[in-house]
Amino acid sequence: MKKLFFSLLVLVAFSGVAQQVYELDATMDEKPFRETLNLGGSNPGGQAIAFNNHYMTIGGQPVIPITGEFHFTRYPRQYWDESIKKMKAGGINVIATYVFWNLHEEKEGTFLWDGDKDLRTFIKLCKDNDIYVIVRIGPFCHGEIRNGGLPDWLLGRPLNIRSNDPLYLSYVERLYGQTAKQLKGLYYKDGGPIIGIQIENEYQHSAAPWGLTYPGQPGDLTAADRDQALTQEGVGISEAENPYAALGNDHMKVLKTLAVKAGMDVPLYTATGWGNAAIIPNESIPVTAAYAYPFWTPKRDYSPFFLYKDMHKSPDYAPVRYNPEEYPVFAAELGSGIMSVYTRRPIAVHKSLDAMINRCLGSGANGIGYYMYHGGSTPKGQSSFMSDEAYALPKISYDFQAPIGEYGQVREGFHRLKLLHFFVQDFGAQLAPMQTVLPVNARKLKPINITDLRYAARVKGSSGFLFLNNFQDDTTMVAQKNFRIRIKTKGGEISIPETGGINLDSDENAVFPFNMDVNGAHLNYATAQLMAKDEKADARYYTFFTPNGTAAEFSFAPGVTVEGKGITVDKNNRRTIIKCNNAITEFKLTANGKSVKILVVDKATALKSYRVTIGNKQYFMFSDALVLQHKKGFECVSDVPEFEVSIYPKYNVMPAIGAGNAERLHDDDVFSRYKITLPKTDIAISSRQVSANKWAVTLPASLPENANDVLLTVNYTADTAMGFLNGELVADEFYKGIPWQIGLRKFLNGKSQEMVFYFRPMQKNASYLIDLQPYPESIPDFGTASKYLKVGAITAATQYKTTITF
């Protein structure tokens, strides 16, 4: 067998800067694809979902599912549809959600499926929005909820939880039966959106503490008696030999049998497989995780999740209980954010989110999933708070610093991730069968190394994608300057770029294609990242963007004709090189009788992009506003009353606007451009200090006209903060140096109300200050005092919305 890969570093004098030239051998023998998994199924139209040991197919086409976790019970049902549309706008095509047993059967024998617990309505809304669903049915869930989702009353029954104890299984069977009633007729086989079921969670790996505990008492974990010694708190590595592994796998099989008996018949069953957790061999896909900013570790440290590896051979949090080469690499819990506990408050840097996905895709992942993608608020139970108080989590907030926040706020990570999502949606069929190629130094690289280039490729035949990552958590990578990569393929060697070098800023990542067909034109390479394509359009187009610090260059095989502005073309008998001179460039290629347009935008513009449909045709909209697709048009949500919308390809129709005014701007060479102006609204609130720790804020009675929400911002420096309405705790937060933002729409009732805020002072010796050390401006000057409390401005701002229709 040929040597799989090698790397060479050469120094060349170039413009006064030493150039680094790396080499990668992609002439490896390809791994076989085997269809041995007992998974799959068809819908009524005959479209089959199937799996081999590398990837998933729908209708015979390789796909890479993009899954976002969103807990319907942690969000008001009147906004579910909006949130599902937000997730779809972000490129999510599968929603994963937990069924928390204790929220639905808090009182033994009484199941609640109404209001915000209406699972069936949530699944129907997913169907209406054409988005798939994976239901995580437990019985144990974790999810930082009380007892990990197990009801309190289960502790008081004569049984052994999470085991084959007959009484325990009888309760589980009842739970599954009740859940299945809510899901009836909504499975993929019925034409519904439910393609997957997750059985249990982190079984024989992790557990949560029982909520019935005493302050200072060690955690009493929700695990079977036999598993207590090997059960850990949080996701991690477990190298100890489990003498009960066979019994654990058997229990998982029993749970699946009960689920199928209840009617939960789906193409895909998953099990959390990290850290030697139990799975259902050959009948479930073991999904993986990666948390760069865990709260369950004693301190901040560099994670390995930004270093490329072959995840098909060596999963994260290995060792694992299965042969990884027999299963596709599906990630279910890539930490797109993190929770705070009282003692630890990690800050999830949103530049880490797309960097981690780049690394996972480059390392062979053929399914990506986020925990959490959309935050929320944990509902209060009938007898207690339902958050994991024993772990010292906030009693209400489950914001998770996620791409979509607790109150639906769209954050930086949402925009960064969608660029990779668009790419995976359009090029997943090419990427999924490709195998990972690494340089020889990949195994030697350590997270602490901030100077060496991190790179890998996915390759099939001579075609592939080059992955570059220059991010590492809890430190700052050195900017990569003036480097080239030579890739040896079965069809010959290719140098990216041909001459000169690439720059990649610190914290940036990139994916560059090589030896790819672009509608009849052979693309040798591009130093711009593929974003999307439309090969069904009248004028076919591909879109690219340039990562920060990188110049866009395209090399095509001979025989192409190029037309466009803002480009430099260099032709010889071996290739045609096109360099883009502007931030936004469009050029037309013609090869072999076919034409295609290439749009190249800078990253700042790409981050404003949304894929939309107008009149059954695909377009891109670029806007600072959030653009949500509706059946008859678009809803635009903006933090300011004036914003622009640009459309590509050009669409020369003046839109109708639901509120405000629309103005056609002078088109540039590439986009149709419109300016939307809404009536400006000032929110009048008043605040008063009640005591040393307490403030009262008068809220508006209702939302202003054409408002999507009113966002209250509380600037403070303290330990913890709580918000009360009518004496009831409705919102809380642990200080992390970030202003506290609260969406008010779910609290407004048409009457004047006061929200009372209670703050507890920060202690000088607080353990969580270690997490704020990278942000010294967040740590106050205590002076000679032992505690500190300061409340600054409390302000409110309108979040505007309108509709536009073409």
Side-chain angles (χ1 to χ4, degrees):
M1 184 175 179
K2 294 181 180 179
K3 187 177 181 181
L4 291 182
F5 35 73
F6 67 91
S7 175
L8 175 66
L9 179 65
V10 181
L11 295 181
V12 180
F14 179 77
S15 300
V17 179
Q19 183 178 70
Q20 295 179 322
V21 181
Y22 300 87
E23 294 194 2
L24 192 64
D25 189 338
T27 60
M28 74 290 183
D29 294 332
E30 295 183 2
K31 302 174 186 176
F33 296 165
R34 294 185 293 274
E35 297 181 0
T36 59
L37 299 176
N38 184 20
L39 293 167
S42 299
N43 65 14
Q47 186 179 61
I49 291 178
F51 301 86
N52 60 36
N53 64 322
H54 281 263
Y55 55 83
M56 170 181 171
T57 61
I58 299 180
Q61 182 87 342
V63 296
I64 297 178
I66 308 165
T67 305
E69 189 92 7
F70 175 35
H71 299 159
F72 66 100
T73 47
R74 282 176 156 147
Y75 208 70
R77 66 177 287 159
Q78 63 265 39
Y79 308 123
W80 285 346
D81 184 67
E82 177 192 85
S83 287
I84 293 167
K85 285 180 168 61
K86 285 179 181 177
M87 295 179 74
K88 191 168 183 178
I92 299 295
N93 51 32
V94 184
I95 289 178
T97 195
Y98 267 135
V99 177
F100 292 116
W101 188 356
N102 56 358
L103 292 188
H104 296 288
E105 195 190 5
E106 184 178 1
K107 181 179 180 182
E108 184 178 355
T110 302
F111 282 87
L112 301 176
W113 301 100
D114 59 348
D116 295 346
K117 300 174 184 178
D118 190 345
L119 172 61
R120 186 169 184 83
T121 292
F122 179 75
I123 303 296
K124 285 182 175 180
L125 287 171
C126 291
K127 180 181 180 180
D128 292 344
N129 285 282
D130 194 25
I131 196 165
Y132 292 128
V133 180
I134 294 175
V135 186
R136 305 177 77 176
I137 62 171
F140 174 79
C141 295
H142 210 307
E144 289 75 53
I145 208 161
R146 186 179 178 91
N147 312 326
L150 301 180
D152 279 18
W153 53 261
L154 208 59
L155 182 62
R157 291 294 178 224
L159 52 79
N160 191 1
I161 62 167
R162 303 180 76 185
S163 74
N164 285 346
D165 181 298
L167 181 57
Y168 174 72
L169 290 178
S170 71
Y171 284 127
V172 173
E173 185 170 18
R174 185 177 67 183
L175 168 69
Y176 282 6
Q178 288 286 328
T179 302
K181 287 180 181 179
Q182 304 303 311
L183 305 180
K184 186 175 180 180
L186 295 173
Y187 303 107
Y188 186 74
K189 66 178 183 178
D190 307 313
I194 304 173
I195 62 167
I197 295 289
Q198 181 186 298
I199 305 292
E200 247 279 351
N201 191 65
E202 299 174 337
Y203 188 61
Q204 291 192 320
H205 172 74
S206 179
W210 281 103
L212 291 168
T213 187
Y214 300 97
Q217 186 178 44
D220 182 15
L221 297 180
T222 51
D225 290 348
R226 65 163 188 261
D227 296 328
Q228 289 283 343
L230 292 174
T231 299
Q232 62 186 47
E233 300 177 67
V235 178
I237 294 171
S238 178
E239 296 182 343
E241 189 72 25
N242 189 335
Y244 304 108
L247 293 177
N249 285 359
D250 178 67
H251 177 63
M252 293 290 285
K253 289 180 182 178
V254 169
L255 292 180
K256 182 186 173 185
T257 299
L258 293 177
V260 173
K261 179 182 176 183
M264 299 185 206
D265 180 11
V266 292
L268 171 63
Y269 296 89
T270 68
T272 44
W274 51 80
N276 262 328
I279 70 164
I280 310 166
N282 201 51
E283 297 182 24
S284 67
I285 290 182
V287 293
T288 188
Y291 287 97
Y293 303 96
F295 64 75
W296 50 86
T297 57
K299 61 182 179 64
R300 291 187 297 114
D301 52 15
Y302 299 163
S303 80
F305 305 125
F306 302 99
L307 296 172
Y308 296 107
K309 63 191 295 189
D310 188 343
M311 295 175 70
H312 204 238
K313 289 183 176 179
S314 176
D316 292 329
Y317 299 112
V320 293
R321 195 179 295 189
Y322 56 91
N323 178 0
E325 295 191 75
E326 296 300 317
Y327 300 87
V329 179
F330 277 18
E333 292 195 19
L334 299 177
S336 49
I338 199 64
M339 273 304 291
S340 298
V341 294
Y342 183 74
T343 55
R344 285 294 316 280
R345 305 178 189 183
I347 309 297
V349 178
H350 277 223
K351 287 183 179 179
S352 75
L353 306 189
D354 54 316
M356 183 181 288
I357 301 310
N358 174 298
R359 174 267 187 180
C360 288
L361 291 173
S363 299
N366 277 333
I368 51 180
Y370 304 100
Y371 193 100
M372 295 287 295
Y373 187 82
H374 192 313
S377 306
T378 303
K380 187 177 179 182
Q382 299 171 13
S383 304
S384 62
F385 288 102
M386 300 304 284
S387 66
D388 196 337
E389 293 184 277
Y391 255 157
L393 269 87
K395 298 181 186 303
I396 302 291
S397 177
Y398 200 67
D399 178 80
F400 219 84
Q401 304 174 56
I404 303 177
E406 178 177 6
Y407 300 101
Q409 313 99 304
V410 170
R411 295 177 171 143
E412 177 188 359
F414 172 93
H415 298 291
R416 298 182 71 92
L417 288 172
K418 69 185 175 186
L419 304 185
L420 281 165
H421 297 166
F422 297 158
F423 163 69
V424 167
Q425 287 175 351
D426 279 6
F427 299 95
Q430 291 99 306
L431 180 63
M434 292 179 174
Q435 299 177 21
T436 296
V437 181
L438 301 168
V440 291
N441 72 333
R443 294 182 181 179
K444 296 180 181 179
L445 277 181
K446 302 297 182 184
I448 197 171
N449 184 331
I450 64 172
T451 59
D452 287 4
L453 181 69
R454 303 176 179 193
Y455 67 107
R458 292 278 296 271
V459 179
K460 183 173 178 59
S462 297
S463 179
F465 296 96
L466 174 66
F467 290 82
L468 305 168
N469 176 46
N470 204 30
F471 179 92
Q472 175 65 51
D473 62 284
D474 294 307
T475 188
T476 301
M477 297 289 292
V478 172
Q480 297 290 333
K481 301 290 186 182
N482 191 24
F483 66 90
R484 276 195 290 159
I485 297 184
R486 291 176 182 155
I487 304 174
K488 184 180 179 182
T489 76
K490 292 179 178 179
E493 185 176 280
I494 187 166
S495 179
I496 306 177
E498 178 184 302
T499 60
I502 303 169
N503 297 329
L504 190 66
D505 284 357
S506 177
D507 294 339
E508 279 297 303
N509 64 88
V511 184
F512 297 151
F514 60 90
N515 288 336
M516 187 181 79
D517 177 78
V518 178
N519 195 39
H522 181 84
L523 176 66
N524 297 322
Y525 68 81
T527 60
Q529 183 161 328
L530 261 176
M531 189 161 69
K533 65 178 178 179
D534 188 347
E535 293 184 321
K536 298 178 182 179
D538 298 335
R540 298 183 177 190
Y541 63 88
Y542 280 59
T543 58
F544 292 76
F545 72 89
T546 49
N548 292 337
T550 305
E553 176 178 307
F554 297 81
S555 173
F556 286 93
V560 298
T561 301
V562 186
E563 304 171 56
K565 298 179 181 179
I567 59 175
T568 302
V569 180
D570 177 16
K571 279 191 175 188
N572 61 30
N573 59 1
R574 294 179 294 104
R575 79 321 179 246
T576 296
I577 287 182
I578 304 158
K579 295 185 178 182
C580 299
N581 304 322
N582 300 329
I584 299 174
T585 306
E586 182 191 55
F587 59 90
K588 181 180 178 181
L589 283 174
T590 303
N592 299 315
K594 298 180 179 179
S595 294
V596 62
K597 289 185 176 181
I598 305 293
L599 172 67
V600 186
V601 300
D602 61 352
K603 189 163 187 177
T605 302
L607 290 169
K608 302 176 183 180
S609 62
Y610 296 91
R611 302 191 72 173
V612 301
T613 301
I614 305 175
N616 297 319
K617 293 183 180 181
Q618 298 296 311
Y619 292 84
F620 268 95
M621 282 191 182
F622 299 87
S623 181
D624 286 322
L626 172 69
V627 178
L628 303 180
Q629 177 100 44
H630 286 248
K631 290 181 179 179
K632 295 184 179 180
F634 308 94
E635 184 172 81
C636 295
V637 179
S638 174
D639 292 333
V640 294
E642 185 175 287
F643 56 90
E644 292 186 14
V645 174
S646 298
I647 301 178
Y648 180 86
K650 287 186 177 182
Y651 192 74
N652 297 313
V653 176
M654 189 69 185
I657 185 166
N661 297 304
E663 176 187 354
R664 180 72 178 266
L665 299 177
H666 176 70
D667 288 355
D668 54 30
D669 292 331
V670 180
F671 300 143
S672 296
R673 298 172 56 233
Y674 305 89
K675 180 179 177 181
I676 310 297
T677 305
L678 306 178
K680 189 177 185 300
T681 303
D682 293 319
I683 303 297
I685 64 165
S686 59
S687 62
R688 57 190 176 91
Q689 186 172 354
V690 178
S691 66
N693 295 37
K694 193 174 290 187
W695 273 252
V697 178
T698 302
L699 304 183
S702 58
L703 292 179
E705 189 176 2
N706 305 318
N708 190 59
D709 203 348
V710 169
L711 299 176
L712 191 74
T713 299
V714 182
N715 292 278
Y716 76 104
T717 305
D719 183 15
T720 61
M722 293 179 166
F724 296 83
L725 280 175
N726 298 317
E728 180 183 356
L729 179 67
V730 296
D732 62 343
E733 196 208 34
F734 291 174
Y735 175 78
K736 295 182 286 293
I738 304 168
W740 184 19
Q741 194 174 64
I742 304 170
L744 295 181
R745 63 182 178 179
K746 73 175 185 177
F747 302 122
L748 305 183
N749 60 9
K751 301 176 182 178
S752 178
Q753 299 179 90
E754 268 196 332
M755 182 172 278
V756 175
F757 289 97
Y758 181 69
F759 303 90
R760 288 194 170 96
M762 180 187 296
Q763 305 300 310
K764 192 173 187 177
N765 61 352
S767 60
Y768 57 80
L769 292 179
I770 188 173
D771 296 305
L772 303 184
Q773 285 176 356
Y775 313 96
E777 68 278 3
S778 300
I779 302 176
D781 181 1
F782 286 86
T784 58
S786 61
K787 57 186 179 180
Y788 187 94
L789 170 62
K790 180 180 179 181
V791 177
I794 301 176
T795 61
T798 300
Q799 185 183 71
Y800 298 88
K801 71 175 179 181
T802 190
T803 58
I804 56 175
T805 308
F806 291 93

